[in-house]
Amino acid sequence: MTATTTQTAARNAAFAGVLQRQGAAVVLVLGVAAAWFAFPHFGTADNLRSLVLQGSFLAVIALGMTFVIISGGIDLSVGSNYALGGVLAAWGAQYGLVVAILLPLAVCSLIGFVNGLLIARTGMAPFIVTLASLLFARGLLLALTSEGATTYKVDPGSAFLWLGQGTIFGVGVPVYLTLVLFALGGLLLRRTRFGQSVFAIGGAEQSALLMGLPVARTKISLYTLSGGLAGFAGVLTAAYLQSGVTVIGVGTELDAISVVVIGGTLLTGGAGTIIGTLVGVLLRTLIQNVINQIGTLDSNYQTVVSGAFLLVVVVIQRLLARSRTR
């Protein structure tokens, strides 16, 4: 192989890597520009504030999912943890702000901890373990709400509501909290040994073990983090809706996985970015908003478009990964 051929191959691999990581961002910019010109209401301050606020709840869940998928795992329990966290927060609000926040965080983090413990210590498949936790959390939710018949309401005067309904400079508090969490998540993933271990486990777990990395401890921490973030998203949603809604969270785990993958994180693990997940969330929210702007399309088309878009992204990721290994 000549030097020119080697350089060309290296450039092609680098270009494929950039597309894999930044492709969603390019599509997002083009989509926003097109929607801005096509729909007069899209660019209004109210619509943009609503867009980022609606995306913030899913973003918190997807943040935890990003860590899990980069490590080569999957967490199907986040949707149920999300709903359970909301119910526990609404119930706990009657005892004050601290209980409303800490109770769902503790319970959902515990469920995540058990997930990680079983996966790391017994070698059970993440799909099976988290599927069981999905059913457990949903069952616990139904038990607490008498099969969904009881809806816990938050007192209108509760300080807890500020977390979901409060605004700073006209933008909802959940948006700021989400940005803070993403900033911390980015630092954790890129600037700490823990983050390096996550990438190493996702890239080659056996090699990570041979290197002496704390594989089991890292996995336990990952799933605990994922469960806690899902519970916190439930806290924010309960504060926003002023109640613990029992029917939310169905299919949310699939939404979280889709935005993580759309953002450039490989389902096979070992590669991904926090900012990519944020872009994936915004892109999905943009698609939903555009469909609402059109008005003549049924809301079910949101799922159709999201599913089709995810399939295209996964296929492109596969092709890009092959081109980088040639």
Side-chain angles (χ1 to χ4, degrees), residues 6 20 25 32 34 45 75 139 144-145 169 191 198 200 235 247 264 271 273 300 310 313 324:
T6 302
Q20 179 180 301
V32 169
D75 189 354
L144 292 173
T145 60
F169 302 116
R191 302 295 183 184
V198 173
V235 171
V247 296
T273 63
N300 291 323
L310 175 61
V313 169
R324 294 178 68 183

Side-chain angles (χ1 to χ4, degrees), residues 4-305:
T4 303
T5 305
T6 302
Q7 292 175 354
T8 302
R11 284 196 296 268
N12 290 339
F15 181 67
V18 171
L19 281 179
Q20 179 180 301
R21 295 189 300 270
Q22 309 299 338
V26 174
V27 174
L28 176 64
V29 171
L30 294 176
V32 169
W36 200 292
F37 287 104
F39 306 104
H41 180 66
F42 178 84
T44 63
D46 286 342
N47 184 62
L48 294 178
R49 282 195 293 263
S50 176
L51 191 149
V52 294
L53 178 61
Q54 294 303 319
S56 62
F57 306 110
L58 176 61
V60 173
I61 301 172
L63 176 59
M65 187 69 77
T66 304
F67 280 87
V68 172
I69 292 180
I70 290 176
S71 73
I74 202 77
D75 189 354
L76 299 180
S77 66
V78 293
S80 294
N81 271 335
Y82 170 51
L84 177 62
V87 169
L88 291 174
W91 178 84
Q94 62 184 310
Y95 301 105
L97 178 63
V98 174
V99 175
I101 296 174
L102 293 186
L103 177 62
L105 285 180
V107 173
C108 295
S109 295
L110 179 60
I111 293 174
F113 174 79
V114 174
N115 284 340
L117 192 65
L118 291 174
I119 292 167
R121 298 300 185 185
T122 69
M124 295 176 65
F127 181 90
I128 299 300
V129 173
T130 58
L131 177 61
S133 294
L134 177 156
L135 299 174
F136 171 81
R138 185 64 64 174
L140 179 58
L141 164 67
L142 293 175
L144 292 173
T145 60
S146 302
E147 300 295 326
T150 302
T151 300
Y152 296 106
K153 300 286 187 179
V154 181
D155 188 274
S158 174
F160 171 67
L161 295 179
W162 182 81
L163 290 175
Q165 300 178 0
T167 60
I168 301 176
F169 302 116
V171 179
V173 170
V175 177
Y176 292 101
L177 294 175
T178 300
L179 291 176
V180 169
L181 288 173
F182 267 74
L184 294 175
L187 291 174
L188 182 63
L189 188 62
R190 292 292 180 180
R191 302 295 183 184
T192 66
R193 291 184 179 180
F194 175 80
Q196 294 173 359
S197 297
V198 173
F199 281 108
I201 293 169
E205 185 173 332
Q206 291 303 314
S207 297
L209 284 169
L210 293 175
M211 291 168 60
L213 295 177
V215 173
R217 188 172 65 205
T218 301
K219 285 186 176 183
I220 293 172
S221 300
L222 286 173
Y223 285 94
T224 302
L225 176 66
S226 180
L229 286 172
F232 185 65
V235 171
L236 296 179
T237 301
Y240 177 68
L241 298 176
Q242 203 172 327
S243 64
V245 180
T246 59
V247 296
I248 64 172
V250 178
T252 301
E253 60 279 352
L254 303 181
D255 293 334
I257 293 170
S258 69
V259 297
V260 171
V261 174
I262 288 171
T265 298
L266 295 180
L267 270 174
T268 52
T273 63
I274 297 299
I275 190 66
T277 294
L278 186 59
V279 169
V281 172
L282 291 174
L283 189 53
R284 183 182 182 277
T285 308
L286 171 66
I287 292 171
Q288 293 176 333
N289 192 269
V290 167
I291 290 175
N292 291 334
Q293 295 284 338
I294 294 173
T296 57
L297 292 177
D298 189 275
S299 60
N300 291 323
Y301 279 100
Q302 295 177 1
T303 305
V304 174
V305 174

